[in-house]
Amino acid sequence: MPDEAPNDPKPSAEDSPAKGPGNPAREQEPAAQAASEPEARAAEVIERERRGPSGEPVRSVTFAERKRMNRRELLKLVPLIAVGAVAIPAFRQPILNQGLRFSDWTAGALFGRHRLAQTYSDREVAPFEKFPYNFYDVADPGVDLEKWTLTVSGLVQRPGDYKMDQIQAFPKVVQNTRHVCVEGWDVIGNFGGTRASDFLRWIGADPSARFLEVTCVDGYYESIDMATVLHPQTLFCYEMYGKPLDRGHGAPLRLQMPTKLGYKQAKYLDSIKVTNVLLSDMRGYWEDQGYSWYGGL
Amino acid sequence: MAATVAVVKQKPEETTTVVYEHPLVVRIAHWLNAVALLVMIGSGLRIFLAFPSFGPRIPQQNFFVLPPRPLTIGGWLGGALQWHFTFMWIFVGSGLLYVVYQIVTGHWRQVLFLPRDVKGLWPMARHYFLFSPKPVVDAAYNPLQKLAYTSTIFFGVVSTLTGIVMYKPAQFWWLAWPMGGYHFARSWHFFAMLGFVAFIPGHLLMVAIHGWNNFYSMITGWKREPEYLE
């Protein structure tokens, strides 16, 4: 144990590793103090030529001074306790909501309006039988396909009810894209439909509107940011694997967005609404229970 | 070592040697990262439970052991994702803070495991696991420590990049390529987590062995009478 008088470094100090560059200003400071204040001299002295193995400052200090130094450094870490606020039930959900909102905001900022999701060759597409039905058993709403119309409202020049052949009047886009579930699985499928941007332009949707709200025959509902809605790969999808959508996959019309997670791809579309306002309890079926609203890929 | 108990016995006028071992930035990054890492692992395991598999969904081959629910955070998939997507910023932010600080200050030289450290691994491991005499180490960290600390940076980088690929595969599809494709991102993400899980017990054991004085230096930065000055 080194036990040196602060002003009188032993010759042995030269043996210790002195890798750090010498700092003359620092070395003289304690000496000057020592002349005027004998007590302070003992309190805080940087030892000459003595350094830790990586050049860290080495000091000889009294018990009181060491406590003071430790307390000073300890206090600097106190703001970190703020992270512990998530342990308090009343603060937890607001903090996590802010975290999710920040993640969603970042995702929206990173979204490339013209950046295409990967598309795949027919060989890579999963067989139709392997494309999972989610919730088909419990929630086939039994849509009357003959009488079905899509109700359009909100910030559009031509609101109203649109028949399927009006939606199918646009160039059909067919794409092999990856359908990704929030649970962690995914499947590459073949989808055909009308570009949402084509249809929205035709009905005179306000191009500066922020959201598209959709409701479904089975009570499901969703809202999508307009940048994604207008993305060239976003479809009002009426075909899978070259055949009209079957009831399990959302007949007659569903959303298909390869830049969004599966729960955003609403099935059994009933109405769409162009809007600038989202009600906090109408952001989406799963989103209102805690999933990310943006849900982007 | 024996000095651990001598704290209260020091008389007011006596002096003791202290070394400023851990700069403030390193301490902040360490503790933020420690908390974030535990949250990321706990919530990640809950997310994994929603689809405890690494391959395609059909046929789904569940992983041979499922993480026990009490070890998970979030309660359900949506809750776990909220924790994961909140603390990922703290995890990555504190990791970046540390790495950038080490580079800027040049401190990375103390801790980065380099090929020349390989030859020192076995003597150090023999000391720890077979109780052979401690090799002379003329550096801040011994080769085994360097390997452990450097590996955590590696796991951090792997878990972050694979996480980005899983989180935004449409925006960052090109990042999946070096991982062996989109599906492998999930596996590597899991392996990186296992790497952290392997690191933590060893790290905590060493902290416990080296006592309060050593532990306290990661809080205040100052270590009293370190053994290398004796």
Side-chain angles (χ1 to χ4, degrees):
Chain A
M1 175 180 141
D3 185 22
E4 301 161 17
N7 275 344
D8 179 30
K10 285 179 186 171
S12 71
E14 291 165 15
D15 303 336
S16 65
K19 289 174 191 165
N23 187 338
R26 270 166 134 191
E27 281 164 18
Q28 275 159 23
E29 185 190 348
Q33 271 184 350
S36 55
E37 285 180 78
E39 280 179 21
R41 168 190 65 185
E44 187 172 332
V45 176
I46 301 177
E47 297 198 359
R48 276 176 217 164
E49 295 174 31
R50 292 207 64 176
R51 292 273 164 178
S54 305
E56 302 95 335
V58 176
R59 292 181 185 186
S60 282
V61 292
T62 61
F63 179 65
E65 178 57 20
R66 188 163 55 81
K67 286 208 91 166
R68 195 153 53 233
M69 286 155 63
N70 277 338
R71 198 180 312 120
R72 197 185 303 140
E73 293 301 319
L74 182 66
L75 284 173
K76 290 181 189 167
L77 290 191
V78 163
L80 294 187
I81 294 171
V83 178
V86 286
I88 302 165
F91 293 146
R92 181 176 304 150
Q93 206 50 55
I95 291 172
L96 295 180
N97 289 346
Q98 284 306 314
L100 202 58
R101 276 181 66 147
F102 179 64
S103 299
D104 278 2
W105 175 83
T106 314
L110 286 173
F111 179 73
R113 286 164 186 267
H114 305 288
R115 191 182 299 137
L116 298 183
Q118 270 189 303
T119 54
Y120 301 88
S121 68
D122 288 340
R123 213 165 36 82
E124 293 170 282
V125 171
F128 180 73
E129 315 82 69
K130 291 199 172 181
F131 199 103
Y133 293 121
N134 247 18
F135 288 154
Y136 176 53
D137 296 339
V138 288
D140 171 24
V143 182
D144 184 342
L145 300 179
E146 301 295 314
K147 290 183 185 163
W148 178 89
T149 55
L150 182 68
T151 306
V152 174
S153 66
L155 303 169
V156 296
Q157 285 160 12
R158 301 202 287 138
D161 293 339
Y162 289 84
K163 292 200 172 72
M164 183 55 91
D165 51 6
Q166 292 174 292
I167 295 165
Q168 293 180 338
F170 298 90
K172 181 163 79 179
V173 177
V174 179
Q175 56 195 20
N176 297 334
T177 51
R178 196 189 289 275
H179 177 91
V180 180
C181 181
V182 67
E183 290 175 342
W185 54 267
D186 64 276
V187 54
I188 296 172
N190 173 278
F191 307 91
T194 293
R195 254 192 204 110
S197 58
D198 286 348
F199 184 72
L200 288 187
R201 200 176 303 119
W202 182 61
I203 58 175
D206 179 357
S208 66
R210 297 178 62 199
F211 311 109
L212 185 74
E213 278 184 345
V214 308
T215 65
C216 310
V217 182
D218 62 351
Y220 201 79
Y221 55 98
E222 268 299 338
S223 57
I224 322 283
D225 58 287
M226 196 52 82
T228 300
V229 173
L230 299 179
H231 186 266
Q233 288 173 310
T234 294
L235 306 182
F236 287 123
C237 166
Y238 48 81
E239 272 187 16
M240 275 176 73
Y241 295 79
K243 296 191 196 109
L245 276 189
D246 69 8
R247 288 189 174 269
H249 287 308
L253 193 68
R254 71 176 300 177
L255 283 176
Q256 209 276 315
M257 303 169 283
T259 55
K260 289 286 192 218
L261 283 166
Y263 63 85
K264 303 292 291 185
Q265 330 272 353
K267 305 197 276 195
Y268 316 108
L269 291 187
D270 188 30
S271 75
I272 63 172
K273 181 182 176 186
V274 176
T275 180
N276 280 318
V277 186
L278 289 186
L279 296 179
S280 62
D281 59 345
M282 283 297 288
R283 295 154 63 241
Y285 178 81
W286 284 108
E287 292 86 329
D288 289 343
Q289 296 173 61
Y291 279 179
S292 149
W293 171 75
Y294 191 77
L297 290 176
Chain B
M1 285 277 118
T4 326
V5 216
V7 183
V8 281
K9 290 181 181 167
Q10 190 186 346
K11 288 172 195 147
E13 68 276 12
E14 260 184 304
T15 63
T16 184
T17 314
V18 290
V19 180
Y20 192 58
E21 283 204 343
H22 301 298
L24 180 64
V25 173
V26 170
R27 284 177 283 136
I28 288 173
H30 174 270
W31 291 113
L32 280 180
N33 200 259
V35 172
L37 179 60
L38 292 181
V39 171
M40 291 307 273
I41 292 174
S43 56
L45 290 177
R46 186 62 194 81
I47 294 166
F48 180 69
L49 273 179
F51 179 66
S53 177
F54 291 102
R57 185 183 183 203
I58 298 169
Q60 182 176 335
Q61 299 290 332
N62 279 2
F63 199 50
F64 53 95
V65 274
L66 296 186
R69 271 173 179 263
L71 292 183
T72 67
I73 293 175
W76 69 296
L77 174 61
L81 286 167
Q82 293 175 354
W83 284 91
H84 218 66
F85 294 160
T86 300
F87 278 79
M88 66 181 185
W89 299 106
I90 301 177
F91 179 72
V92 174
S94 57
L96 274 179
L97 177 68
Y98 173 78
V99 169
V100 168
Y101 183 82
Q102 295 296 93
I103 291 172
V104 168
T105 57
H107 291 174
W108 60 271
R109 289 186 194 91
Q110 317 168 13
V111 73
L112 184 68
F113 183 84
L114 293 170
R116 65 160 183 264
D117 296 310
V118 173
K119 63 179 186 300
L121 277 180
W122 170 240
M124 217 54 224
R126 215 168 40 188
H127 166 64
Y128 281 131
F129 300 111
L130 303 172
F131 304 104
S132 68
K134 187 174 185 180
V136 179
V137 177
D138 186 23
Y141 297 107
N142 71 55
L144 216 51
Q145 281 177 300
K146 287 186 187 176
L147 181 64
Y149 298 142
T150 303
S151 72
T152 61
I153 301 302
F154 175 73
F155 299 140
V157 170
V158 169
S159 57
T160 303
L161 294 180
T162 53
I164 289 172
V165 166
M166 279 190 287
Y167 187 47
K168 301 293 163 199
Q171 310 299 317
F172 297 98
W173 55 270
W174 44 271
L175 247 185
W177 179 76
M179 295 165 195
Y182 172 68
H183 283 129
F184 275 95
R186 189 174 169 88
S187 306
W188 296 129
H189 200 68
F190 199 83
F191 280 128
M193 181 273 292
L194 289 180
F196 280 120
V197 168
F199 167 82
I200 292 170
H203 182 59
L204 294 184
L205 180 68
M206 293 321 254
V207 171
I209 287 174
H210 287 94
W212 173 258
N213 183 32
N214 176 63
F215 172 77
Y216 201 52
S217 71
M218 191 39 98
I219 295 175
T220 69
W222 291 102
K223 189 190 265 185
R224 193 167 47 80
E225 290 162 6
E227 61 275 15
Y228 50 75
L229 288 185
E230 284 170 19

